[in-house]
Amino acid sequence: MEEKHGMGEIAPLSPARRQPPTVRLRRLAAELRRLRQEAGLSQAEVTEKTDVNLATLHRIETAKTKPQLRTLNALLDAYGVTGSRRTDLVALQREAKQRGWLHGFEADLPGPYSAYIGLEAEARQAINYESLFIPGLLQTEDYTRAMFRGVRPTITDKEVEIRITARLRRQALLEGDTPLRLWAILDQAALARTVGSDAVMSDQLTHLARQAQRPHITVQVIPFSAGAHPGMPGSFIVLKFDEDGPDVIHIDSMAGGLFLEKETDIQHYNHMCEHLRAIALSPADTAALITSLREDH
């Protein structure tokens, strides 16, 4: 099990899955598909004009591979692209694999978690459901440290600090002029379990309540009284982007993290989000519940 959004990387890793494309790579792929269609060319006709292998062209247009510069130039020549539009696409190709602040940091983190961080950094909105943990973007440092040590007793001090550093850098997405919009939905179990000590949990609940008052952060809790609900099997997160491509779903399992990008999967998890929002307490009632639970500590 690798990094969970709330929990953090705390267990031996499963074999790495293919990392999903960055938003920039997906945007480049969409632009190249659109340019080919505007030129009235089929993929087969493009391969005849450019000598770009048909399988390679398909992988480029589906964001499965980054085109080499000479390949990109050949395609742009075939589509008659010049001027600033061409300059922008070449710049997009150069930046297609960049994942923000993570550059140079990947060696210390599990591959799938690094992939997730890169996508999260480019998203405009995240909908995070957690059944057992406070969402990672809303955790205090003490809660995170206690969580790591409680779930993985053999973790080293160095590993803890690396993961805390990554967590704090992720939380910076909630700051600035255009912060990430976060909608967090939690099962009450995530609030009821004491992680660390009463003092740690009290501080965590205070922090959660304060964050929930910010205009770009919404927090809802599904109370125990709601009974069984669709989120009980486990946590997940839906990342939403601007015009740069479809949503990406990230879910966790004992076998490791999994990225979902099929339209049917995206629809399923978005419908689940709607259902969980509907059965959860309102933000105001959630705030009252958090206050009540904090007083218990």
Side-chain angles (χ1 to χ4, degrees), residues 39-54:
L41 297 171
S42 68
Q43 288 186 335
E45 289 171 331
V46 172
T47 62
E48 292 178 2
K49 291 173 66 71
T50 64
D51 291 328
V52 175
N53 181 277
L54 185 60

Side-chain angles (χ1 to χ4, degrees), residues 46-67:
V46 172
T47 62
E48 292 178 2
K49 291 173 66 71
T50 64
D51 291 328
V52 175
N53 181 277
L54 185 60
T56 299
L57 180 59
H58 174 75
R59 289 178 59 80
I60 289 172
E61 290 193 354
T62 54
K64 289 183 171 62
T65 190
K66 172 186 171 182

Side-chain angles (χ1 to χ4, degrees), residues 183 209 212-213 217-221 280-292:
W183 197 309
Q213 294 175 0
I217 298 174
T218 301
V219 178
Q220 287 184 270
V221 170
L281 298 174
S282 69
D285 288 341
T286 290
L289 176 61
I290 293 173
T291 298
S292 174

Side-chain angles (χ1 to χ4, degrees), residues 171-190:
Q171 291 177 356
L173 295 173
L174 299 176
E175 309 302 328
D177 295 333
T178 56
L180 177 72
R181 299 205 301 272
L182 174 64
W183 197 309
I185 309 169
L186 297 76
D187 191 287
Q188 186 175 340

Side-chain angles (χ1 to χ4, degrees), residues 15-187:
R17 290 181 171 87
R18 181 182 67 85
Q19 291 191 2
T22 65
V23 173
R24 294 178 181 88
L25 184 56
R26 291 196 293 166
R27 193 172 78 197
L28 179 60
E31 285 292 320
L32 291 175
R33 286 197 308 273
R34 183 160 44 247
L35 287 169
R36 176 176 58 77
Q37 292 164 358
E38 289 176 357
L41 297 171
S42 68
Q43 288 186 335
E45 289 171 331
V46 172
T47 62
E48 292 178 2
K49 291 173 66 71
T50 64
D51 291 328
V52 175
N53 181 277
L54 185 60
T56 299
L57 180 59
H58 174 75
R59 289 178 59 80
I60 289 172
E61 290 193 354
T62 54
K64 289 183 171 62
T65 190
K66 172 186 171 182
Q68 295 183 0
L69 182 58
R70 63 175 180 273
T71 300
L72 177 62
N73 282 325
L75 294 175
L76 297 181
D77 287 342
Y79 305 151
V81 180
T82 58
S84 60
R85 192 175 190 187
R86 185 177 186 122
T87 300
D88 290 344
L89 290 171
V90 170
L92 200 57
Q93 182 268 353
R94 185 170 57 250
E95 301 168 354
K97 289 192 175 181
Q98 290 183 9
R99 294 186 182 272
W101 60 263
L102 194 61
H103 179 67
F105 204 71
E106 297 95 331
D108 294 322
L109 296 171
Y113 183 34
S114 297
Y116 171 77
I117 288 175
L119 286 171
E120 181 184 62
E122 299 183 63
R124 64 173 173 81
Q125 181 182 13
I127 304 174
N128 188 183
Y129 166 73
E130 291 289 343
S131 57
L132 296 174
F133 299 94
I134 303 297
L137 290 176
L138 300 176
Q139 291 177 7
T140 65
E141 185 173 336
D142 286 341
Y143 178 97
T144 301
R145 182 173 284 105
M147 178 194 62
F148 283 136
R149 296 202 176 281
V151 180
R152 187 180 170 190
T154 59
I155 194 170
T156 67
D157 290 344
K158 180 180 179 180
E159 290 173 325
V160 169
E161 294 311 311
I162 287 171
R163 284 153 180 76
I164 287 177
T165 298
R167 180 63 48 82
L168 294 176
R169 293 192 183 184
R170 284 179 57 206
Q171 291 177 356
L173 295 173
L174 299 176
E175 309 302 328
D177 295 333
T178 56
L180 177 72
R181 299 205 301 272
L182 174 64
W183 197 309
I185 309 169
L186 297 76
D187 191 287

